[in-house]
Amino acid sequence: MSPAQINKRLERLKVRAVMLAKSRSFFHEREVIEVDAPALNTYANLDDHIDPIAVSFREKDQGYLHTSPEPFLKKLLAQGFGDLYFLGHVFRDHEYGNHHQIEFTMVEWYRQKLSFESLIKETLEYIYLFIRPKTETILSYQEALFRFTGLNSNSSSREELIDYVHKKIDKNMSFGAENRDDLLSFIFAHEVEPQFNKEEITIIKGYPRGQAALAKTEWVGNEKIARRFEIYHQGLELANGYDELVGSDELSKRYEELNQKRTLFGKKKLKIDDPFVQGNATLPGCCGVSVGFDRLMMLNQNTKYIQDVIAMI
């Protein structure tokens, strides 16, 4: 590495240190408590597409590096710890590219004192510590999908979605276990997100029920949607937030569904964190969001590569 490259990297690391400090001040001012969640856990975070990294220790024991601090923070919330946030490293296997690192920095927080809409506003306030876009656009998932593809998230059949993929994205793509929601997610990522105005912040709300993850659902007209939002800018997904699901039975059902999907996609089933599931019965009403700190640094430093804004040798 040349002296010029070292100096540029050093300046970016100085800015990163400043933004970490500003982040902590942001939450301190709002009386949200920082929690240094353990990276090594007995159970893996359960997701159909995100893969945890297994770790062996004490010769015979196995744990997992967390892909998110969500279960740990929610266990604390269920015990009455109040509003909490995490700022630190998480780990996701098989994720590497210009916008991805297997180990990356996440900011995740949970608020009992804010409504779903207020959490969106607070998330934008946090993002605006790093960037200053000209405008904001808010769209429902269904509005965005229809505007950019002409498809209907509620009524378009699996066959219509496959036909769209073959005509617009990849005529040779084959499909097996993918259901409607998998196809909608694929189309949204490849056809909708790239068409967002790069000068704007785009907020997408109201995801299909099958993409609820751990968000509450509600009926809007004749469609059951998830109280979930995502925030995008300059082609990057920056934030993913929920009006959090409360209750053990529904959480257990969703985890079983996620494990079934993992099996269909040739992935290993993961052991369900029963203490977390049972504790969700006493989770207070709250909203939560995770934000990619490194991606915000990419925007702040006007670079296309996540590797430019993290400490690497």
Side-chain angles (χ1 to χ4, degrees), residues 4 34 100 108 192 209 212-213 226 233 261 300:
E34 182 173 10
H100 297 85
E108 186 163 325
V192 179
R209 155 64 183 89
H233 186 56
K261 288 186 72 174
N300 179 274

Side-chain angles (χ1 to χ4, degrees), residues 232-247:
Y232 299 84
H233 186 56
Q234 294 289 339
L236 294 173
E237 178 195 329
L238 302 176
N240 183 19
Y242 307 148
D243 187 350
E244 299 292 342
L245 175 69
V246 175

Side-chain angles (χ1 to χ4, degrees), residues 243-287:
D243 187 350
E244 299 292 342
L245 175 69
V246 175
S248 297
D249 291 344
E250 177 63 19
L251 178 56
S252 179
K253 178 183 175 183
R254 292 193 193 179
Y255 269 177
E256 292 292 347
E257 291 174 353
L258 288 171
N259 254 336
Q260 288 172 10
K261 288 186 72 174
R262 288 185 65 85
T263 301
L264 290 172
F265 290 129
K267 297 178 181 290
K268 180 182 176 182
K269 273 190 175 184
L270 296 171
K271 187 177 179 181
I272 292 176
D273 185 347
D274 289 324
F276 172 49
V277 172
Q278 296 308 314
N280 213 59
T282 57
L283 183 73
C286 61
C287 296

Side-chain angles (χ1 to χ4, degrees), residues 162-178:
I162 290 174
D163 185 60
Y164 183 91
V165 171
H166 286 157
K167 288 180 177 177
K168 300 290 186 177
I169 303 175
D170 185 344
K171 65 180 180 180
N172 297 315
M173 184 167 286
S174 60
F175 298 94
E178 291 84 359

Side-chain angles (χ1 to χ4, degrees), residues 114-161:
L114 292 183
S115 66
F116 181 66
E117 297 296 334
S118 296
L119 182 69
I120 296 175
K121 183 175 181 293
E122 183 173 79
T123 305
L124 290 170
E125 289 170 357
Y126 177 71
I127 288 171
Y128 294 157
L129 294 177
F130 297 78
I131 58 173
R132 287 292 176 185
K134 296 177 181 177
T135 55
E136 300 169 4
T137 294
I138 302 177
L139 295 170
S140 73
Y141 185 98
Q142 187 175 80
E143 288 173 333
L145 185 74
F146 185 78
R147 176 180 296 185
F148 296 115
T149 69
L151 297 168
N152 187 298
S153 60
N154 188 33
S155 62
S156 292
S157 68
R158 182 176 183 274
E159 290 69 29
E160 288 172 329
L161 298 177

